[in-house]
Amino acid sequence: MIDFILKENRCNLTVDLSIFNERVLSKVIYCLSGDYLVYQQNLENNIQFIMLEKKQGILSSDEFQLLKQKINQLLIDYKNRDIINLETKNIRDILYVKAFTNNDDFEDFNLMD
Amino acid sequence: MYYLLPFRFERLKDKEIIVNEVGDYLIIDRNTVDRIVSRKISPDEELYKDLITSFFISETVVPPLIDNYATRLRTKKSFMDGFTSLHIFVLTLRCNQNCLYCQASAKEHNALQYDMKKEDLSRAIDLMFKSPSHSVTMEFQGGEPTLTPDLLTYAVLEAETRNKLYKKQITYVLCTNSVSLSDRVINICNEYRILISTSLDGPEFLHNRNRGKTDSYQKVVAGITKARTVLGEDRVSALMTTSEYSLDYPAEIINSYLENGFHSIFLRPLNPYGLAAENDDWDLYFDRFVEFYKRSLEYIIQLNKEGTFFIEEFAALLLRKILTPFPNGFVDLQSPSGIINGVIVYNYDGYVYASDESRMLAEYNDYSFRSGHVSDKYENIFYGRKTQELAQIWITEGIAGCSDCAFQSYCGADPVRNYSTQGDSYGFRPTSSFCKKHKSIISYIISLLTEREDEVLPIFKKWLRRNEG
């Protein structure tokens, strides 16, 4: 699923994109990019290689362990957020249309049918 | 089987918080979000009913009460109905104090070239009356606006005269340091019901140090007393600014507000504009400010528990968003952002800016948020190209780092602050001090509501009732 390696002040990982898609990965990387420089490369078999290089200071083995936990947590959370966003996109649109359209001109379809 | 409805979540210590589209929240056990998303919540569980009634899940594709939910969403965003309601008039940049953290780039008290021209003031009043908002606030700022009593009088008289046609509800606010409130100014305030908003940073030693004067505190307190005597106690309010030096004195600052007869305080951090922008380390300052805020709020809660009614206004603003169906009207915590939508600034030189902070940038020759000139058409200023550009980045629902944030409903977008601190109006949330500060304080308030509900909720409800009253 995810493989981590600590190498020369860098955290290298490979992620299976069939499990965590590009949208999820992009958001995880965004969260980390305040502290790390990020390099990404698509490999064969739907695998993405990511290299995180700490912007300031040395990435110790303790920090590496914490970073692994954080990345795992972020991946799980953003995958859930992605599912919620995808599954609720239409109902959210309906909610906002109902809330903000001019009701005088709005034909209220029977959405319950 | 159930359907998901839109919601956002965040981890809090050993719990999770889920927040729906209108800001209703539930605190749930760790990994419950994963169970919700995986459809593992059974109808037999108490949580299932809570999730249904709070619009986190639905048993039908479209929840039966979606119209009620839509009405609540519209209510939450009702601050947009009136468009720009706060109109700030910078009557002069001249000032009679030397504040260490001056955010308004004040000038010497005799530098008359920094006063607003009457014709520009007249045009600015015209623009204010074109606002669709029925209720407008005309706020006079500086520099020190009491140094220009003629302009103040002219502005109020012109507004009163023109309002015979427009019939708007006008609230006047005079932002003054109160060190030289003349009888003339007080009489103007009395005649036209002008509210006074003054500055008091805390006890004498701290206030004087912040103001760069040895007698500022005595003068401010004398000014406050004079204003209260004529105008009434409820017509005078005070704001404090937390300098780096202030951070060590939370109890002393709050005590000084109590001693001076105030029933609330707005714990306000420095903003990175003007002289304050020269601060060395903003990350450290905001870390310390959050700790200062928590200590202060604890002290205020303790005071309330002991029978002294005293409000922390920033917490009250957040609580109104968290606990009530209504928006709070605070332009710094809005999405769409308060700039232009809630506030506009007519600067002393006739130029119009998207917010108070925007005109502060202009004093450092950065005109990025200049929306036009008072001689321009209303439409070109308020709906022009600059506004359209800002509109693309002024909603938390649509910008990276905010769109997935559980606290989105309680927070706001601030492109001017992003630009000032990060050099980019869009902003970068992972290193944003604005984001860090708000997340920390909102998390803290949520933790109080969750872990100490019996202790704090009665106090917070009293604060909200006062605000609604």
Side-chain angles (χ1 to χ4, degrees):
Chain A
M1 186 172 81
I2 324 164
D3 290 317
F4 291 91
I5 300 171
L6 173 62
K7 190 178 178 186
E8 294 168 0
N9 204 34
R10 292 170 182 164
C11 171
N12 295 344
L13 61 149
T14 50
V15 181
D16 187 338
L17 294 176
S18 65
I19 299 171
F20 299 108
N21 66 39
E22 282 278 5
R23 278 191 309 277
V24 172
L25 264 188
S26 297
K27 291 185 176 183
V28 170
I29 286 168
Y30 180 79
C31 287
L32 298 168
S33 57
D35 296 323
Y36 298 91
L37 294 171
V38 182
Y39 306 89
Q40 290 173 271
Q41 186 182 6
N42 284 325
L43 305 177
E44 290 179 342
N45 301 320
N46 218 20
I47 299 292
Q48 184 167 117
F49 169 78
I50 300 168
M51 185 169 75
L52 300 170
E53 183 179 343
K54 200 174 174 191
K55 284 181 180 174
Q56 289 181 330
I58 303 294
L59 182 62
S60 67
S61 56
D62 287 348
E63 269 183 291
F64 175 66
Q65 293 305 323
L66 289 173
L67 181 61
K68 273 169 62 174
Q69 288 173 24
K70 185 175 180 182
I71 290 172
N72 271 311
Q73 198 67 73
L74 285 170
L75 283 166
I76 292 165
D77 286 352
Y78 275 108
K79 184 166 182 173
N80 278 329
R81 290 186 179 110
D82 193 50
I83 293 168
I84 296 166
N85 287 340
L86 283 178
E87 288 192 19
T88 64
K89 183 181 179 305
N90 290 341
I91 192 67
R92 194 165 186 256
D93 287 347
I94 291 169
L95 178 67
Y96 274 76
V97 166
K98 278 181 167 287
F100 299 110
T101 46
N102 186 340
N103 287 332
D104 294 341
D105 303 330
F106 186 57
E107 185 180 349
D108 202 359
F109 296 102
N110 189 353
L111 297 166
M112 304 308 291
D113 290 342
Chain B
M1 176 62 180
Y2 52 82
Y3 298 90
L4 297 179
L5 294 176
F7 70 89
R8 287 168 286 276
F9 66 94
E10 198 80 39
R11 292 173 184 272
L12 298 173
K13 295 181 189 165
D14 56 342
K15 297 280 185 181
E16 290 172 346
I17 180 172
I18 54 175
V19 186
N20 69 15
E21 286 294 305
V22 297
D24 298 338
Y25 73 94
L26 288 176
I27 303 293
I28 52 181
D29 292 334
R30 265 275 161 122
N31 299 321
T32 305
V33 168
D34 202 52
R35 290 181 58 226
I36 295 170
V37 172
S38 311
R39 307 301 200 277
K40 288 179 181 164
I41 308 294
S42 156
D44 303 331
E45 292 180 55
E46 198 60 36
L47 175 64
Y48 186 90
K49 298 181 190 81
D50 290 340
L51 294 172
I52 292 278
T53 54
S54 301
F55 293 98
F56 289 99
I57 61 172
S58 170
E59 290 176 329
T60 53
V61 177
V62 177
L65 295 176
I66 192 166
D67 286 341
N68 298 32
Y69 198 30
T71 302
R72 290 195 56 204
L73 179 58
R74 184 155 59 188
T75 303
K76 272 282 177 188
K77 299 285 187 184
S78 58
F79 62 88
M80 293 193 293
D81 294 347
F83 199 43
T84 323
S85 57
L86 174 58
H87 296 256
I88 295 176
F89 295 76
V90 181
L91 297 183
T92 181
L93 276 192
R94 291 189 289 134
C95 191
N96 47 12
Q97 296 284 278
N98 300 316
C99 303
L100 300 178
Y101 53 71
C102 180
Q103 295 162 3
S105 305
K107 307 296 179 192
E108 289 295 320
H109 70 278
N110 55 358
L112 298 174
Q113 69 271 31
Y114 294 104
D115 288 358
M116 192 182 239
K117 292 189 180 75
K118 267 190 182 172
E119 53 267 35
D120 285 340
L121 179 52
S122 176
R123 289 186 185 121
I125 295 168
D126 277 341
L127 290 169
M128 179 182 77
F129 276 109
K130 285 182 180 166
S131 169
S133 181
H134 170 66
S135 303
V136 292
T137 296
M138 196 172 183
E139 182 171 300
F140 303 107
Q141 281 200 21
E144 174 50 42
T146 59
L147 295 177
T148 59
D150 287 342
L151 284 177
L152 178 66
T153 309
Y154 175 79
V156 175
L157 288 177
E158 278 298 304
E160 289 288 307
T161 304
R162 293 181 210 185
N163 199 35
K164 286 174 184 159
L165 175 65
Y166 293 99
K167 300 189 190 313
K168 288 184 187 289
Q169 183 183 324
I170 306 177
T171 303
Y172 301 106
V173 179
L174 175 64
C175 297
T176 171
N177 56 35
S178 298
V179 300
S180 58
L181 278 177
S182 65
D183 291 341
R184 184 181 174 196
V185 169
I186 292 277
N187 288 337
I188 298 167
C189 293
N190 193 29
E191 188 171 354
Y192 295 101
R193 304 284 294 157
I194 300 174
L195 296 164
I196 287 190
S197 174
T198 193
S199 302
L200 181 67
D201 285 348
E204 186 170 0
F205 73 92
L206 194 153
H207 182 93
N208 284 345
R209 181 182 163 120
N210 281 351
R211 303 283 150 174
K213 299 272 185 185
T214 55
D215 58 353
S216 178
Y217 179 85
Q218 294 94 320
K219 287 184 176 176
V220 170
V221 170
I224 290 170
T225 306
K226 183 176 179 179
R228 278 177 173 157
T229 304
V230 179
L231 306 176
E233 196 169 318
D234 62 329
R235 311 296 294 173
V236 183
S237 63
L239 276 175
M240 59 83 69
T241 302
T242 314
S243 68
E244 284 180 285
Y245 185 64
S246 309
L247 293 167
D248 292 326
Y249 302 101
E252 290 83 351
I253 291 169
I254 292 159
N255 288 341
S256 78
Y257 266 66
L258 282 166
E259 286 160 12
N260 283 294
F262 291 104
H263 303 294
S264 70
I265 191 168
F266 194 134
L267 297 169
R268 215 168 53 134
L270 285 173
N271 280 324
Y273 309 97
L275 285 180
E278 293 167 15
N279 194 347
D280 292 336
D281 188 340
W282 281 104
D283 287 339
L284 177 63
Y285 171 79
F286 279 108
D287 285 346
R288 290 187 66 205
F289 176 80
V290 169
E291 286 312 307
F292 163 84
Y293 184 88
K294 289 179 182 176
R295 284 169 63 197
S296 302
L297 193 55
E298 281 297 335
Y299 185 62
I300 290 170
I301 289 169
Q302 192 57 38
L303 285 171
N304 279 272
K305 281 168 66 181
E306 291 165 3
T308 303
F309 181 76
F310 194 80
I311 299 174
E312 200 292 295
E313 297 286 2
F314 187 64
L317 287 168
L318 288 171
L319 288 164
R320 186 169 163 86
K321 283 193 155 196
I322 295 168
L323 297 176
T324 82
F326 307 108
N328 62 18
F330 181 51
V331 294
D332 289 4
L333 284 181
Q334 285 184 0
S335 174
S337 169
I339 57 171
I340 300 171
N341 294 300
V343 59
I344 199 81
V345 176
Y346 310 105
N347 207 10
Y348 73 97
D349 55 4
Y351 285 101
V352 183
Y353 291 91
S355 67
D356 206 20
E357 292 76 17
S358 309
R359 65 110 174 176
M360 293 170 187
L361 285 172
E363 291 309 317
Y364 285 75
N365 302 316
D366 187 333
Y367 307 106
S368 303
F369 298 95
R370 181 185 274 181
S371 299
H373 190 269
V374 290
S375 56
D376 294 340
K377 282 185 177 175
Y378 176 87
E379 292 76 12
N380 291 346
I381 294 172
F382 288 82
Y383 306 123
R385 194 171 153 196
K386 179 73 76 181
T387 306
Q388 290 172 33
E389 284 170 10
L390 287 170
Q392 294 178 37
I393 52 169
W394 71 20
I395 57 165
T396 51
E397 289 85 347
I399 55 177
C402 295
S403 62
D404 286 314
C405 179
F407 302 141
Q408 183 192 102
S409 309
Y410 314 137
C411 200
D414 193 343
V416 182
R417 174 65 174 265
N418 294 338
Y419 177 84
S420 173
T421 56
Q422 300 187 308
D424 166 24
S425 307
Y426 188 90
F428 181 58
R429 254 53 66 190
T431 57
S432 161
S433 58
F434 178 90
C435 175
K436 193 175 175 184
K437 182 195 106 187
H438 285 135
K439 266 192 164 177
S440 302
I441 292 177
I442 294 168
S443 299
Y444 180 65
I445 288 174
I446 295 280
S447 75
L448 288 176
L449 287 168
T450 308
E451 295 161 17
R452 293 162 56 187
E453 182 180 347
D454 292 344
E455 179 190 353
V456 301
L457 195 56
I459 295 168
F460 290 167
K461 281 183 175 174
K462 275 188 194 170
W463 293 4
L464 291 174
R465 278 198 293 271
R466 195 291 312 240
N467 279 356
E468 282 162 12

